[in-house]
Amino acid sequence: QLQLVESGGGLVQPGGSLRLSCAASGFTLASKTITWFRQAPGREREGVSCISASGLTTKSVDSVKGRFTLSRDNAKNTVYLQMNSLKPEDTAVYYCAADRVPDPDFCTLLFRFGKWNYWGQGTQVTVSS
């Protein structure tokens, strides 16, 4: 079965850290661009961070710049989102999505710009004291 599996979410106090993992099953992530999206209740889905297939391009939404870092380990077929200095407004369900694009240095935070052939089930991140 071709799927992405997220893990690493949980409850953390403001200022704390979490590392989310996105592991691929049944296919390789090495040739895919990966984007982490999040969605909070009553809010639109938002692209948080992305990384190109080559790993040379990463992008983050302004609200997480300097706090979130995206990396990939192709040997483990896994992408990681390190989240530091977490804020209550980071509370959401986080999803990873993979897409195969011609340009190995391309990634996008915009949902409408990808086909997103692969999605994970989501992992809840709650930032609260």
Side-chain angles (χ1 to χ4, degrees):
Q1 186 175 1
L2 307 179
Q3 61 179 353
L4 293 171
V5 179
E6 301 101 335
S7 60
L11 173 63
V12 64
Q13 292 186 342
S17 297
L18 286 172
R19 189 177 79 157
L20 304 184
S21 298
C22 172
S25 176
F27 68 101
T28 179
L29 280 179
S31 60
K32 311 293 190 298
T33 178
I34 306 297
T35 297
W36 281 93
F37 295 93
R38 67 184 178 187
Q39 188 161 23
R43 301 187 66 177
E44 291 187 357
R45 176 174 40 208
E46 175 185 40
V48 177
S49 295
C50 69
I51 187 166
S52 63
S54 67
L56 296 179
T57 302
T58 59
K59 298 177 183 177
S60 293
V61 67
D62 286 346
S63 61
V64 308
K65 284 181 179 177
R67 300 190 297 122
F68 290 12
T69 303
L70 189 54
S71 61
R72 62 193 307 154
D73 186 336
N74 289 336
K76 294 183 177 180
N77 217 20
T78 302
V79 171
Y80 302 99
L81 182 65
Q82 178 68 44
M83 305 188 297
N84 299 326
S85 302
L86 282 161
K87 304 175 180 180
E89 51 263 43
D90 295 319
T91 296
V93 178
Y94 284 70
Y95 303 88
C96 62
D99 197 5
R100 186 167 187 170
V101 296
D103 183 353
D105 296 326
F106 174 85
C107 77
T108 181
L109 299 176
L110 299 177
F111 178 79
R112 67 180 183 272
F113 284 169
K115 294 181 178 179
W116 312 115
N117 303 96
Y118 310 98
W119 279 93
Q121 81 289 351
T123 186
Q124 176 70 47
V125 172
T126 302
V127 185
S128 175
S129 56

